[in-house]
C-alpha cells in the first residue's frame, strides 16, 4: 500500500497558467514526487516550477516548452518523461485556447484550424503518446490494496462541449470532440487497464476568462445560467481532476465529469 494517493509520475499540459497550474500544484500538494509540466509559455512554466519547488522542495519537476498541436514536440516530452521517471501514471491534458470568435460565416479557416489543432488534435496527440507509454508499464500500488490501473488520462473538455453557445462554433465543437475521443479511447483501452476520462468545466476564473478585464463582464450572462451563479475556481476543477486520476476512481471510465455549478442541468 502507498502512503500517498499519487505514487509515480504526473504529466500536465497547459501548466503555465490557470487550471493546468492548479492541477500541477495539487499533485505536488498531495505528495506526487515526479512532475512533468509543459506549455508554450516558457515564462509561466518557469514560474510554476519555481513556486512548486519553493513550496514542495522534495518534488522533482521536469519542465519543457511544448506546443501540443505539434506531434514531434508531444512525442519528445513524453519520451523524455519516460526516460527520466520510467513511467507516466497520470496525464492531464489541459492546454487549450478559446481562439477566434464569430458565427461560422465570420470565422476564418485558419481560426477554425488553430482552435481544433490545439484543443482537439492536441488532446489526441498527447493522449496517443501517453497511452503508448502506459501500455508498457505495470499497474502501481493503490491506497487500499485494490487492483490498480496502468495509467489514468484526464482531458479537459468544457460544458460547451455538452451544451453550446453563440459565436464559438469551432471551440464548442472541439470540446465536444474531446468528450467523444474520451469515450472511444475508454472503450478501446479498458482491456489494457488504462482509464480515460474528461472534465467539463463551467465558467472558471482563470486568465482565459479574466483578461482583458472587460471579458469578465461579458461573461456575466453565462455565469448567471448556472444555478450557483458564480465563477468556479481552478482549484475546484483540479480537485475533480485529481479524484479521476487517483486510485479512488478505479472504476470510473469514459466519464465526462461536469464541474460547472449546475450550468448543464438547466
Ligand atoms: N476558464 C474557463 O472558464 C474554462 C471553461 C471550460 C474549459 N476550459 C478549458 O480549460 C483549459 C485551461 O484553461 P484555463 O482557463 O486554465 O486557461 P489559461 O489560458 O489560463 O491556460 C491555458 C494554458 O494553455 C497553454 N496553451 C495554449 N495553447 C497551447 C499549446 N498549443 N500548447 C501548449 N500549451 C498551450 C497556455 O499557454 C496557457 O498556459 C482549456 O482547455 C480551456 O478550454 C476553461
Amino acid at each position: 500500500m502507498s502512503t500517498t494517493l499519487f505514487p509515480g509520475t504526473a504529466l500536465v499540459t497547459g501548466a503555465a497558467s490557470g487550471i493546468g497550474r492548479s492541477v500541477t500544484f495539487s499533485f505536488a500538494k498531495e505528495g506526487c514526487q515526479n512532475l512533468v509540466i509543459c506549455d508554450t509559455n516558457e515564462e509561466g512554466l518557469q514560474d510554476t516550477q519555481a513556486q512548486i519547488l519553493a513550496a514542495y522542495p522534495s518534488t522533482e519537476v521536469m519542465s519543457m516548452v511544448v506546443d501540443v498541436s505539434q506531434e514531434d514536440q508531444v512525442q519528445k516530452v513524453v519520451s523524455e518523461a519516460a526516460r527520466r521517471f520510467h513511467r507516466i501514471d497520470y496525464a492531464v491534458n489541459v492546454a487549450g485556447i478559446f481562439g477566434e470568435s464569430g458565427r461560422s460565416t465570420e470565422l476564418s479557416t485558419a481560426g477554425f484550424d488553430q482552435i481544433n489543432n490545439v484543443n482537439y488534435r492536441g488532446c489526441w496527440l498527447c493522449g496517443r503518446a501517453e497511452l503508448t507509454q502506459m501500455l508498457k508499464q505495470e499497474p502501481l500500488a493503490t491506497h487500499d490494496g485494490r487492483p490498480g490501473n496502468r495509467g489514468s488520462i484526464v482531458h479537459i473538455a468544457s460544458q460547451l462541449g455538452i451544451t453550446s453557445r453563440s459565436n464559438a462554433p469551432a471551440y464548442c465543437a472541439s470540446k465536444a470532440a474531446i468528450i467523444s475521443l474520451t469515450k472511444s479511447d475508454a472503450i478501446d483501452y479498458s482491456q489494457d487497464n488504462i482509464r480515460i476520462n474528461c472534465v467539463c468545466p463551467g465558467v472558471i476564473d482563470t486568465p482565459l476568462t479574466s483578461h482583458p478585464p472587460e471579458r469578465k463582464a461579458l461573461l456575466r450572462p453565462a455565469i448567471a445560467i448556472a444555478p450557483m451563479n458564480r465563477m468556479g475556481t481552478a482549484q475546484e476543477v483540479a480537485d475533480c481532476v485529481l479524484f479521476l486520476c487517483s486510485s479512488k476512481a478505479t472504476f470510473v471510465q469514459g466519464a465526462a465529469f461536469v464541474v460547472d455549478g449546475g450550468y448543464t442541468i438547466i
Side-chain angles (χ1 to χ4, degrees):
M1 270 188 235
S2 172
T3 51
T4 166
L5 261 181
F6 301 100
T9 305
L11 182 152
V12 184
T13 76
S17 176
I19 294 169
R21 177 175 279 181
S22 204
V23 166
T24 309
F25 259 89
S26 297
F27 274 120
K29 189 174 175 195
E30 297 296 336
C32 188
Q33 286 298 301
N34 303 327
L35 299 178
V36 181
I37 58 173
C38 56
D39 202 292
T40 43
N41 174 354
E42 186 169 14
E43 202 183 323
L45 211 48
Q46 282 169 0
D47 266 7
T48 301
Q49 179 166 15
Q51 287 178 37
I52 285 190
L53 291 175
Y56 308 102
S58 68
T59 312
E60 282 207 49
V61 184
M62 182 190 122
S63 147
M64 196 182 282
V65 174
V66 171
D67 179 340
V68 295
S69 68
Q70 301 301 313
E71 181 173 3
D72 55 337
Q73 296 182 31
V74 169
Q75 291 294 132
K76 187 171 173 210
V77 68
V78 169
S79 58
E80 273 296 302
R83 197 184 55 77
R84 175 149 169 197
F85 296 121
H86 312 296
R87 48 189 300 137
I88 298 170
D89 299 285
Y90 324 103
V92 188
N93 300 313
V94 187
I97 55 169
F98 191 74
E100 202 177 303
S101 302
R103 298 192 298 166
S104 277
T105 45
E106 293 144 10
L107 190 62
S108 70
T109 310
F112 177 90
D113 286 344
Q114 191 197 16
I115 292 165
N116 279 287
N117 283 342
V118 176
N119 294 0
Y120 168 40
R121 188 169 187 268
C123 276
W124 180 72
L125 285 174
C126 290
R128 183 179 61 165
E130 293 151 2
L131 284 163
T132 304
Q133 169 54 35
M134 287 172 180
L135 285 168
K136 298 177 191 159
Q137 55 197 42
E138 293 302 316
L140 272 186
T142 59
H143 65 287
D144 62 0
R146 73 179 82 174
N149 306 115
R150 270 191 190 169
S152 170
I153 294 175
V154 177
H155 299 300
I156 300 298
S158 171
Q159 63 180 13
L160 295 177
I162 296 172
T163 61
S164 209
R165 56 154 275 189
S166 63
N167 292 312
Y171 181 83
C172 296
S174 74
K175 294 299 186 176
I178 292 169
I179 295 170
S180 193
L181 170 70
T182 299
K183 293 180 184 178
S184 291
D185 279 343
I187 293 168
D188 285 339
Y189 293 94
S190 285
Q191 67 193 33
D192 301 297
N193 193 15
I194 299 171
R195 294 186 301 106
I196 302 99
N197 293 287
C198 68
V199 168
C200 302
V203 187
I204 308 299
D205 194 354
T206 70
L208 186 83
T209 48
S210 313
H211 292 293
E214 313 80 83
R215 191 172 285 169
K216 237 177 180 167
L218 291 174
L219 283 169
R220 224 19 275 162
I223 295 166
I225 292 172
M228 293 186 78
N229 195 16
R230 67 167 173 86
M231 290 176 116
T233 66
Q235 185 63 58
E236 288 172 315
V237 179
D239 288 341
C240 184
V241 168
L242 261 72
F243 164 70
L244 290 171
C245 286
S246 80
S247 52
K248 292 200 173 185
T250 42
F251 200 50
V252 184
Q253 179 67 301
F257 210 113
V258 288
V259 184
D260 67 352
Y263 187 103
T264 46
I265 55 178
I266 295 295

